[in-house]
Amino acid sequence: MTYWEKERECMSRSDLEQLQLERLQSTLYRVTTHVPFYRKKFKEEGIDPDGFNSLADINKLPFTSKDDLRNNYPYGLFAVPLRDIVRVHASSGTTGTATVVGYTKNDLKTWSNMVARILTAAGVTNDDVVQIAFGYGMFTGGFGLHYGAERLGASVIPISSGNTKRQIQIMQDFRTTALVCTPSYALVLADTMDDLGINISSLSLKYGLFGGEPWSEEMRREIQTKLGIIATDNYGLSEVMGPGVAGECIERNGLHINEDHFLVEIINPDTLKPVAEGEVGEVVVTTLTKEGFPVIRYRTRDLARIIDEPCPCGRTLRRMTRIMGRTDDMLIIKGVNVYPMQIESILFDIEGTEPHYQIIVERQGRLDKAQVLVEVTESIFFDQMKKQRQLVEEIKRRLAAELGIGVDVKLVEEKSLERFEGKAKRVIDKRDLSGK
Ligand code: DLL
């Protein structure tokens, strides 16, 4: 078994917790001294950062939200003068002001190490040729993975996103062994290779590290088969650092959290209290080593649960499940909570459907109505109506059994839904939820 930083990745829980506490104390000192926003908030809530002697006290601290970041746009939450910031990233966000984050030189070192850890856990070594098909720019995906792969000593191909045919050409010519992108783009690459008649055995690909968006176990299976690789999941978010917060080892059964740098809690998004052990809830992250942009109890809106059993890989860093949904992408259809991921899992399992789908949500009167558009293979699309109807009925039946409510299903022609080079947009929400 190979580790990047064995002494940290395999630490005893008690040593790890001691380290977390010390780092939390210094982070609290840092934010109270340098960030007026936290100073004010702590004062209002009567929090004495010096009296912090146990990790369990974390739940006395206030949460930080995306709105707090927006209200302090662009540099209001930085904990060092701009002169000490060497990199700025921003998340564009689909709505509202962007959130801006900054990194010191040390932060970049830590970040690269975290990503190198995740690459190593996923099987990548300095012998690998790593093709990074994430966007480079304000998005943290491209640069984050890039610096980590260089730190590891791999040969990095910074191709960035898009231009699918060129990606494939480079993959062939440069003998890429590890592909890094969103899982949906990995499927686009696989489908395009199929169209071009490229046999995957002519490629050198061995590993795929995918992240940046949710994907199901069924989608992993599909990618692994189509590309002939070991596909692992990795998770992160720009507000906290970018990629490198957590990642799967080749066991592919949950993402090891880099707990010496991040304190992760799982809370009930309604009561804001910690969930019972092993229950699903919202992931809340406190950074423990960030200098430029520390965050305290950041509410990610992502849903997951902690897997507390030891991992056969030997790492003691606890795992979290894949992201199961977001508190804000939960659809309430006829009063029932539905997550797009549940729909995806079923579609991937049904013969004749393609792994491309879209969920359209509308509000009719006071009721939410969801329609699922599913791409089907050409032969089915042009097949007799009867067969199509049977397929629609089958999908509806499976969805109803899983979700407990009826959902509309429409079959669409292969390749008729939009493809994405970065994060896929699976849900089109036509509802006006502004409360007007
Ligand atoms: O997506 C950072 C990243 C880049 C992670 C590349 C992994 C690989 P943001 O653009 O700020 O940062 O988006 C963060 O994306 O809150 C999740 O909702 C979602 N997300 C990221 N990784 C995963 C994943 C990057 N592996 C938001 N599974 C997060 C599910 C993910 N969702």
Side-chain angles (χ1 to χ4, degrees):
M1 192 60 68
T2 334
Y3 307 98
W4 178 248
E5 289 167 303
K6 184 165 187 218
E7 66 293 355
R8 282 290 153 79
E9 293 171 72
C10 302
M11 237 175 166
S12 77
R13 285 310 297 179
S14 58
D15 285 354
L16 177 71
E17 281 168 16
Q18 180 58 31
L19 182 70
Q20 285 183 316
L21 180 61
E22 285 163 16
R23 289 180 164 181
L24 179 63
Q25 286 165 335
S26 74
T27 299
L28 290 178
Y29 175 78
R30 174 178 288 275
V31 298
T32 3
T33 318
H34 299 295
V35 189
F37 165 81
Y38 286 111
R39 189 160 53 236
K40 185 160 165 272
K41 222 169 167 181
F42 289 178
K43 199 165 167 207
E44 277 166 11
E45 309 216 0
I47 289 156
D48 171 16
D50 291 333
F52 223 85
N53 294 317
S54 149
L55 283 177
D57 285 346
I58 184 90
N59 59 31
K60 295 187 182 140
L61 295 173
F63 294 102
T64 308
S65 69
K66 201 171 186 90
D67 276 343
D68 293 325
L69 268 62
R70 288 193 174 127
N71 295 339
N72 287 283
Y73 175 86
Y75 299 140
L77 295 184
F78 284 20
V80 298
L82 213 46
R83 120 174 49 90
D84 294 332
I85 292 288
V86 295
R87 175 93 65 78
V88 174
H89 279 287
S91 109
S92 54
T94 36
T95 50
T97 325
T99 48
V100 181
V101 293
Y103 304 77
T104 63
K105 268 193 188 148
N106 261 336
D107 289 334
L108 288 189
K109 261 195 220 151
T110 313
W111 190 10
S112 310
N113 263 322
M114 292 305 92
V115 173
R117 255 190 208 181
I118 279 164
L119 286 156
T120 308
V124 180
T125 70
N126 58 359
D127 286 329
D128 280 294
V129 179
V130 182
Q131 182 159 337
I132 298 180
F134 273 128
Y136 281 64
M138 300 308 265
F139 175 53
T140 50
F143 278 101
L145 264 307
H146 179 107
Y147 274 67
E150 273 190 4
R151 176 84 183 85
L152 176 64
S155 314
V156 179
I157 305 175
I159 187 162
S160 193
S161 60
N163 205 339
T164 306
K165 287 196 177 139
R166 182 156 172 265
Q167 297 270 0
I168 295 168
Q169 181 80 51
I170 297 259
M171 211 178 276
Q172 288 179 305
D173 295 351
F174 294 8
R175 296 191 293 277
T176 301
T177 57
L179 172 66
V180 173
C181 58
T182 55
S184 56
Y185 192 57
L187 274 182
V188 172
L189 283 165
D191 287 349
T192 313
M193 279 187 224
D194 209 29
D195 291 346
L196 297 172
I198 292 167
N199 188 338
I200 51 160
S201 58
S202 70
L203 301 174
S204 311
L205 273 188
K206 289 192 291 193
Y207 303 107
L209 282 93
F210 306 118
E213 65 180 10
W215 51 315
S216 58
E217 195 53 40
E218 290 74 12
M219 183 155 170
R220 183 202 322 257
R221 240 180 276 141
E222 181 109 15
I223 294 175
Q224 294 196 138
T225 312
K226 285 191 162 168
L227 289 176
I229 55 173
I230 292 180
T232 50
D233 189 7
N234 68 90
Y235 168 77
L237 61 163
S238 35
E239 291 85 351
V240 161
M241 188 169 75
V245 175
E248 281 183 326
C249 60
I250 48 175
E251 297 290 329
R252 285 160 285 173
N253 187 17
L255 295 82
H256 290 280
I257 303 165
N258 281 324
E259 290 179 287
D260 47 339
H261 296 269
F262 305 102
L263 190 64
V264 167
E265 302 165 78
I266 308 284
I267 64 157
N268 175 322
D270 300 321
T271 63
L272 305 183
K273 297 270 181 285
V275 296
E277 229 177 272
E279 263 181 30
V280 176
E282 181 179 340
V283 178
V284 170
V285 187
T286 300
T287 63
L288 298 176
T289 48
K290 288 272 293 291
E291 293 179 346
F293 193 85
V295 278
I296 306 295
R297 300 193 91 197
Y298 185 71
R299 291 191 60 182
T300 64
R301 305 279 168 191
D302 295 321
L303 296 166
R305 66 182 176 81
I306 296 289
I307 306 172
D308 218 0
E309 295 97 61
C311 182
C313 78
R315 288 178 182 78
T316 51
L317 298 173
R318 277 188 314 173
R319 288 167 292 164
M320 58 185 232
T321 58
R322 66 176 66 250
I323 299 298
M324 297 169 161
R326 286 181 55 83
T327 59
D328 47 7
D329 78 2
M330 185 180 79
L331 307 167
I332 302 183
I333 308 171
K334 298 174 189 149
V336 175
N337 299 350
V338 174
Y339 291 101
M341 186 63 66
Q342 293 173 286
I343 299 180
E344 174 175 314
S345 291
I346 287 169
L347 294 179
F348 269 85
D349 230 25
I350 296 177
E351 192 72 32
T353 60
E354 290 285 305
H356 300 283
Y357 67 96
Q358 206 157 55
I359 303 162
I360 298 178
V361 196
E362 283 171 297
R363 182 159 284 182
Q364 287 183 345
R366 305 179 76 219
L367 273 187
D368 290 329
K369 196 167 164 296
Q371 185 183 47
V372 185
L373 306 184
V374 187
E375 280 191 16
V376 287
T377 51
E378 209 168 302
S379 66
I380 288 192
F381 196 75
F382 292 108
D383 218 329
Q384 312 143 358
M385 286 303 284
K386 191 169 157 227
K387 275 211 175 141
Q388 286 194 23
R389 232 176 292 134
Q390 276 170 349
L391 185 59
V392 168
E393 285 315 312
E394 151 98 355
I395 300 174
K396 278 190 177 170
R397 192 181 51 75
R398 297 274 301 267
L399 288 175
E402 160 78 19
L403 309 174
I405 41 139
V407 173
D408 244 11
V409 172
K410 188 176 167 198
L411 305 183
V412 296
E413 202 175 340
E414 211 176 328
K415 303 206 170 63
S416 60
L417 297 177
E418 190 181 350
R419 299 289 191 264
F420 299 88
E421 291 165 353
K423 303 190 185 211
K425 192 161 165 43
R426 306 279 196 203
V427 181
I428 311 265
D429 198 336
K430 295 183 174 169
R431 294 171 298 178
D432 176 8
L433 299 179
S434 59
K436 277 180 288 190

